[in-house]
Amino acid sequence: DIQMTQSPSTLSASVGDRVTITCRASQSISTWLAWYQQKPGKAPKLLIYKASTLESGVPSRFSGSGSGTEFTLTISSLQPDDFATYYCQHYKSFSETFGQGTKVETK
Amino acid sequence: QVQLQESGPGLVKPSQTLSLTCTVSGGSISSDNYYWNWIRQPAGKGLEWIGRIYISGSTKYNPSLKSRVTISVDTSRNQFSLKLSSVTAADTAVYYCALAGFWSGTLDYWGQGTLVTVSS
């Protein structure tokens, strides 16, 4: 099975900060990677797919990059609404696998 | 816009079978454009994909749960269902149903989630 490892597990940041979250796959997954945002008590929301394609309606401060085994999610200028937990997911596979999540909290 | 709503017992006894239903509105479960998925999340923990079904009846399950999981579709009711057998306290979680595009593969629409507690 392909394992997805996110880092860090928790990230403390302030409004306006540039934030970067990393997701590593245990083997190459091409660009079959998505990023989701989840707020407490809510279902996850798709942000980015195909590693770098922004879902419709998602603010342009979010961006994704990477291919193969290493991927990043970047928030260029953190906004109050962005404090949440972020998950990467390998999809279009035999077993769709999520990373363990990165919680972005207020510094 | 497609909406999904989970329903089922909130409390299940150990060793019994957990059964949940996801009702789809605003779209047809018979569409060949979608996969229908179940995902779960224990309190304070991450997301775990359980499995999915296509309208053809084709299924894929998480290998770690495969021996206990059955996902089925009821086209007459525009619903799909999850059965998880021989549950233990480790199966206590919020269970989500979600739609994935057949071509995109991403989980585009989610239900609000339903908490299932396994306890005697």
Side-chain angles (χ1 to χ4, degrees):
Chain A
D1 293 355
I2 296 175
Q3 306 301 319
M4 308 300 295
T5 304
Q6 282 183 240
S7 60
S9 297
T10 306
L11 190 158
S12 298
S14 302
V15 172
D17 284 353
R18 182 181 181 86
V19 166
T20 298
I21 299 168
T22 298
C23 179
R24 288 186 174 87
S26 59
Q27 63 189 77
S28 178
I29 60 170
S30 184
T31 55
W32 297 117
L33 187 98
W35 290 97
Y36 298 85
Q37 176 194 67
Q38 186 180 33
K39 296 182 178 179
K42 299 293 186 183
K45 170 190 169 185
L46 177 66
L47 297 177
I48 287 170
Y49 60 95
K50 213 64 171 18
S52 61
T53 303
L54 209 60
E55 173 73 344
S56 176
V58 173
S60 59
R61 62 181 179 272
F62 290 92
S63 64
S65 64
S67 65
T69 61
E70 188 149 338
F71 304 86
T72 59
L73 171 69
T74 299
I75 309 172
S76 60
S77 177
L78 193 68
Q79 298 302 300
D81 192 47
D82 301 337
F83 291 98
T85 300
Y86 295 84
Y87 294 92
C88 63
Q89 182 215 14
H90 169 43
Y91 62 99
K92 283 231 175 180
S93 69
F94 178 74
S95 178
E96 327 258 302
T97 309
F98 291 94
Q100 76 275 27
T102 295
K103 183 178 182 180
V104 177
E105 61 180 23
T106 308
K107 182 184 282 185
Chain B
Q1 179 168 329
V2 178
Q3 293 185 315
L4 301 96
Q5 178 68 58
E6 305 87 352
S7 61
L11 181 64
V12 181
K13 289 182 167 47
S15 79
Q16 293 190 343
T17 296
L18 178 160
S19 296
L20 294 175
T21 297
C22 183
T23 301
V24 179
S25 59
S28 172
I29 203 161
S30 298
S31 170
D32 57 5
N33 290 324
Y34 306 127
Y35 286 106
W36 306 98
N37 296 261
W38 288 97
I39 299 102
R40 69 181 183 179
Q41 184 173 37
K45 296 189 178 181
L47 300 164
E48 180 179 33
W49 178 77
I50 298 170
R52 69 174 186 232
I53 190 166
Y54 187 58
I55 188 56
S56 66
S58 171
T59 54
K60 284 189 177 178
Y61 299 132
N62 187 322
S64 69
L65 298 170
K66 186 176 182 179
S67 63
R68 300 194 290 131
V69 173
T70 303
I71 297 176
S72 59
V73 166
D74 184 342
T75 56
S76 66
R77 297 186 177 191
N78 223 37
Q79 296 175 335
F80 64 108
S81 299
L82 168 71
K83 291 191 186 299
L84 181 66
S85 64
S86 305
V87 297
T88 69
D91 295 309
T92 295
V94 173
Y95 285 75
Y96 294 100
C97 58
L99 170 164
F102 179 82
W103 298 110
S104 69
T106 51
L107 297 161
D108 300 331
Y109 296 97
W110 296 65
Q112 64 186 25
T114 188
L115 174 63
V116 178
T117 301
V118 178
S119 175
S120 56

